[in-house]
Amino acid sequence: MNLLAVERIKLFSTRSPWWCALITLALTIGFAAILAGASPADSPIAVSATQFGGSQFGIAVVMVLAALAVTTEYRFNTIRTTFQAVPHRSPALLAKAVVVGLMALVIGEIGAFGALGLAMLMRPNDGLGLHTTQDWLNVAGLGPVFAISAVLAVALGILIRHSAGAIALLLIYYLAVEELVQIIPKVGHHIHEWMPFNVANKFLRGSAVVDGPAPSDSPLSPGWALAYFAGIAIVFLLVALGVAKKRDA
C-alpha cells in the first residue's frame, strides 16, 4: 500500500498526466458531440458510434500518458532513488502499473459515459441507452481496455526507457501496423485476427457495428477477447520486469 501511495503521489505531482487525461476526455466526449450534431435528424445513431473518439484516439493518448509515467523517471534519474528504496525493483514497477492502470480505467469510464450522456442530450429521439449486453460492452468496456492498454504502455516504457522512442513505437504500432499487416499476401488476414488491439475491438464492439469503425475479425468471443488482450499486456509486463532487474537503472 505504501508503494501504491508513493506512485500515486509521483504520478499526480506532474502535469503530463493531467493534460493527457483532459485531452482524452476531450477526444472521447468531443467526437460524440460532433457525430451527434453532424448526423441527420432522421438517421438515428448507434450507441457504439458515440464511443468512436475514445476507442480510436483516446486509447492512443492514454498509452502516451502511461509511457511517460515511466520514461520521465528514467529521464530525470528519479528511478534510481526508487530502486534504492526498493532494491528488488519489481514491486515498485508493479505498483506503478497498477496506479497508471487504475487512472486509465477511471478516465475511460468517465469519457465513455460522458460521451453517451452528451449524445443522449443532443439526440433525445434516437433511443440511445444501454438496452443490451453489447451496449454495455460498447460503453462500460472502454475503461478496462484503457487500463490494459496503459499497462502495456508501462511495460514498453520500462523496456525502452526513452520517452520519444516509447511514444513513437506505441503510436506507430497502434495507428498503422495492425492495419498494414492485412496487406501481407495470403497470411495477413489471419495474422490480423490475433493482433492485440483488433482483439480488444472485438470485446468493445462485437461482430457487427451499425456506425463507426469496421467490426473486428477476431474469432474470439468478447469475453475471451478481453482475456487475450489482458494476457498479452501481462506477458509484456513480466518481460519488462525481468529486464529491469538485470540492467542498470
Side-chain angles (χ1 to χ4, degrees):
M1 294 302 295
N2 289 335
L3 286 174
L4 292 174
V6 168
E7 292 301 330
R8 175 183 56 80
I9 293 169
K10 286 196 290 185
L11 181 65
F12 292 114
S13 62
T14 58
R15 287 178 292 181
S16 59
W18 295 104
W19 280 109
C20 288
L22 289 174
I23 292 170
T24 303
L25 292 175
L27 289 170
T28 304
I29 299 173
F31 270 96
I34 292 171
L35 180 65
S39 299
D42 58 350
S43 179
I45 62 174
V47 170
S48 60
T50 67
Q51 304 303 310
F52 174 80
S55 60
Q56 296 301 108
F57 303 108
I59 291 173
V61 182
V62 162
M63 289 195 296
V64 170
L65 181 160
L68 286 174
V70 180
T71 58
T72 302
E73 283 213 65
Y74 280 102
R75 178 185 175 188
F76 294 105
N77 288 323
T78 55
I79 197 71
R80 294 179 183 273
T81 305
T82 299
F83 289 161
Q84 286 174 353
V86 188
H88 292 296
R89 300 187 180 184
S90 292
L93 295 174
L94 280 173
K96 185 180 293 294
V98 169
V99 170
V100 173
L102 288 175
M103 182 180 181
L105 175 67
V106 172
I107 293 171
E109 295 300 333
I110 293 174
F113 282 97
L116 177 63
L118 182 59
M120 292 172 68
L121 288 174
M122 295 180 66
R123 301 182 68 90
N125 298 323
D126 283 6
L128 290 170
L130 303 177
H131 306 300
T132 66
T133 300
Q134 189 56 57
D135 288 340
W136 276 100
L137 290 178
N138 289 156
V139 181
L142 193 61
V145 171
F146 270 30
I148 296 170
S149 301
V151 171
L152 191 59
V154 167
L156 192 64
I158 295 170
L159 289 170
I160 295 180
R161 300 194 292 184
H162 298 286
S163 298
I167 292 172
L169 184 57
L170 283 168
L171 294 183
I172 289 171
Y173 177 84
Y174 176 69
L175 298 175
V177 171
E178 289 202 0
E179 294 302 317
L180 292 176
V181 162
Q182 298 182 83
I183 68 176
I184 299 175
K186 298 183 180 180
V187 298
H189 174 72
H190 299 291
I191 296 173
H192 184 257
E193 290 179 344
W194 298 98
M195 301 296 275
F197 290 102
N198 176 55
V199 174
N201 193 45
K202 179 62 174 285
F203 168 69
L204 285 175
R205 301 182 177 278
S207 300
V209 180
V210 177
D211 295 304
S216 169
D217 56 2
S218 170
L220 298 174
S221 66
W224 280 110
L226 182 65
Y228 177 86
F229 187 45
I232 289 177
I234 291 171
V235 168
F236 268 89
L237 183 59
L238 291 175
V239 171
L241 294 178
V243 171
K245 283 183 179 181
K246 293 181 179 179
R247 67 186 178 193
D248 294 336

